[in-house]
Amino acid sequence: MGGEEGRRRAPEKSVLLEAFRRGWASVSGCVPTRVKQEAQRYLDCGQLRFGFVEVRCERCSESRLIAFSCKGRGWCPSCTARRAAETGLYLATVLPRVSHRQWTLSLPFSVRLAVVKQPRLLKYLERRLLKAIWRWQRQEAKRAGHGAGFSLGAGVCFTQWFGSRLQLTPHLHVLVPEALWAASGECVELEGPRDDDVARILHRTLRQARGDWGEQQAAWAEDDFEGLQQLAIQARLPLEVPSSRHRRPRVAVAEGFSLHADTAVHANDRVGLERLCRYGARGPIAECRLRKRDDELYEYTPKRGVTFTLTATDLVRRLVALAPPAKSHLTSFHGVYAPHAKLRGLVTAAPRPAEPPTPVARERPAKATKSRRPRVDWATLHQHTFGNDVLQCPCGGRRIIKALFSTHKAAEERLLALGRPPPSRHLPSSTAPPQLSLAV
């Protein structure tokens, strides 16, 4: 749902979904099971026939249907945008009011396929980068005369496996507060890095990471899906991006790795902090940049660079290659921001859940439960992002949840009862089985 009137999202009118349906049949045979499941969830995302919530106005009894989403981590524009908006809102609420700086670490072409095949290598590099930044911060705190008590740093890392031009580019966006904490919870703020500081941090990161990576051999594709990933890494799209002649500040390059640390937000700029977190948690593709041409080809306009043209099959190949590895976190917390850090509750301003009523009698104390991150509900997130209250009916009444239909059968029965028969499913075009070419 979007817009001032809260219109339902219509996935059947999506250009990306149409292109994915056209090109998926020719790509589905060379991808692993987890990518097939991700693709099926995307094809079912936003379809009322697979489950929905029915809301009804208390005053005029008008009903509206809100379809379930796939909640995928891959390329679904709706679900990745929702996750980015929710992550940005949550972090802007709980992170302390200190300046934060984004450190972006990019990898050379020669190691990207190895990192895609072994995601733990990127995790090693992430930890080494944070330790190098914290070490530099502790040195700066000592030079400023704050003593050795302030030694605890923090950081939020966003792992991205894509670039703005739909290429497979694993890299890190690390959000680090320009502050250190003592064991008592006292905080001291620090100045930003200089160009030589960024260079020293990058050199130390690479020097420490050599022991983690070991004697890394050259990686090669071992199956068809890794062949798609290798093509998405190595194949250069026909783009001409003008290079800047001016040297960029706070940028270091060594051994093909590059570290950029020139983006920062002030302690009181919560809107800028939320925007920076949304950028780190965003998805690989923006549907508003995709357009279908009259010749059945598709044009994609990246944020920087020129528009390039793809067929439906090539577009699907690009998207499935950008699926993140299984069992890998896209957002991770370190230092005093870590889940089990002793100072996490003191440093962050996490909203406390409502306390349950005290029972009258209790034989033994209840077992302590692990606190979970509060999930922002759909209506609150929609109002924060688009500025309109979707639970407010035009008649002045409030919409409430009337029923939930979580199964395919129950959803279709309710749609038939409402006089809204679900559309037929889109099936891929039939193909003949492969035949051997016989010599005459």
Side-chain angles (χ1 to χ4, degrees):
M1 296 178 71
E4 297 180 356
E5 299 179 357
R7 296 186 299 272
R8 185 184 73 86
R9 178 171 65 95
E12 61 275 4
K13 299 179 181 179
S14 169
V15 178
L16 180 61
L17 183 61
E18 176 191 352
F20 197 88
R21 284 172 174 164
R22 290 180 56 193
W24 172 242
S26 57
V27 182
S28 59
C30 61
V31 298
T33 303
R34 63 177 181 86
V35 179
K36 292 181 180 179
Q37 294 174 350
E38 182 81 18
Q40 189 57 51
R41 286 194 297 266
Y42 169 62
L43 293 173
D44 298 342
C45 181
Q47 304 287 344
L48 291 173
R49 64 184 303 155
F50 298 105
F52 59 88
V53 174
E54 182 178 357
V55 296
R56 184 174 300 174
C57 178
E58 296 178 311
R59 178 179 294 183
C60 66
S61 300
E62 179 191 7
S63 296
R64 289 206 174 186
L65 310 181
I66 299 100
F68 292 157
S69 60
C70 65
K71 299 179 178 61
R73 306 195 319 157
W75 55 85
C76 177
S78 176
C79 296
T80 53
R82 188 205 189 282
R83 186 180 65 250
E86 182 180 3
T87 302
L89 176 60
Y90 173 74
L91 293 180
T93 304
V94 302
L95 292 185
R97 287 188 174 272
V98 296
S99 299
H100 285 78
R101 182 171 299 274
Q102 177 181 258
W103 299 72
T104 304
L105 180 63
S106 301
L107 280 64
F109 275 88
S110 58
V111 301
R112 291 181 184 179
L113 184 59
V115 169
V116 170
K117 297 180 65 173
Q118 304 180 57
R120 69 176 184 275
L121 298 178
L122 190 60
K123 183 61 66 174
Y124 294 155
L125 204 59
E126 171 187 333
R127 295 171 182 171
R128 292 300 183 182
L129 175 61
L130 279 165
K131 289 182 179 180
I133 296 174
W134 293 341
R135 181 178 182 271
W136 166 79
Q137 288 182 334
R138 287 192 294 267
Q139 293 174 351
E140 291 297 314
K142 290 181 180 179
R143 292 192 187 98
H146 296 294
F150 298 93
S151 59
L152 303 178
V156 182
C157 183
F158 304 98
T159 304
Q160 292 186 357
W161 298 90
F162 55 87
S164 60
R165 302 176 185 89
L166 303 183
Q167 75 274 32
L168 183 56
T169 308
H171 61 285
L172 301 174
H173 292 267
V174 185
L175 192 64
V176 179
E178 296 189 323
L180 288 176
W181 283 266
S184 60
E186 186 180 357
C187 174
V188 58
E189 298 191 32
L190 305 172
E191 297 292 335
R194 299 175 294 274
D195 292 352
D196 55 341
D197 296 330
V198 178
R200 284 197 297 268
I201 290 174
L202 176 60
H203 284 286
R204 181 175 181 83
T205 300
L206 299 180
R207 186 170 63 253
Q208 296 292 328
R210 289 193 184 99
D212 299 328
W213 284 42
E215 296 295 333
Q216 187 64 38
Q217 302 294 330
W220 63 88
E222 300 181 18
D223 53 30
D224 293 339
F225 182 64
E226 291 184 358
L228 290 180
Q229 293 178 320
Q230 186 177 23
L231 184 63
I233 292 174
Q234 301 294 341
R236 302 297 187 99
L237 294 177
L239 303 176
E240 295 181 1
V241 181
S243 59
S244 177
R245 297 182 179 179
H246 303 284
R247 185 176 182 272
R248 303 176 65 181
R250 296 189 179 92
V251 175
V253 180
E255 302 178 19
F257 294 83
S258 65
L259 182 62
H260 179 276
D262 197 40
T263 303
V265 291
H266 191 266
N268 297 324
D269 188 6
R270 310 307 287 184
V271 177
L273 179 61
E274 180 181 353
R275 182 170 58 251
L276 199 60
C277 295
R278 286 203 313 263
Y279 178 80
R282 76 190 191 278
I285 185 171
E287 191 167 3
C288 61
R289 301 182 182 275
L290 183 67
R291 186 182 71 88
K292 184 180 180 181
R293 303 197 320 184
D294 296 335
D295 55 357
E296 301 298 322
L297 297 179
Y298 295 89
E299 287 185 351
Y300 189 76
T301 305
K303 186 177 180 180
R304 295 183 180 88
V306 297
T307 302
F308 57 93
T309 306
L310 295 170
T311 64
T313 302
D314 292 337
L315 180 59
V316 174
R317 287 174 179 169
R318 285 281 176 172
L319 291 179
V320 298
L322 301 181
K327 301 179 181 180
S328 62
H329 294 287
L330 299 180
T331 305
S332 54
F333 300 85
H334 301 268
V336 297
Y337 292 170
H340 297 287
K342 294 182 179 179
L343 294 181
R344 179 186 174 103
L346 191 63
V347 171
T348 61
R352 297 182 178 179
E355 297 182 358
T358 305
V360 178
R362 178 180 296 174
E363 298 180 359
R364 56 182 179 179
K367 184 179 180 181
T369 58
K370 181 180 177 181
S371 59
R372 300 184 61 183
R373 167 179 165 179
R375 183 175 177 84
V376 182
D377 64 273
W378 159 76
T380 302
L381 187 62
H382 198 285
Q383 185 174 12
H384 176 78
T385 305
F386 298 103
N388 62 315
D389 188 2
V390 295
L391 296 182
Q392 181 70 34
C393 186
C395 71
R398 297 291 298 177
R399 298 188 179 107
I400 61 173
I401 297 178
K402 193 67 177 179
L404 183 141
F405 303 91
S406 58
T407 63
H408 186 187
K409 181 179 179 181
E412 288 195 342
E413 290 178 352
R414 181 55 181 167
L415 289 175
L416 292 175
L418 294 175
R420 302 175 58 177
S424 58
R425 297 196 62 175
H426 293 268
L427 299 178
S429 56
S430 59
T431 57
Q435 300 290 335
L436 295 176
S437 57
L438 302 178
V440 178

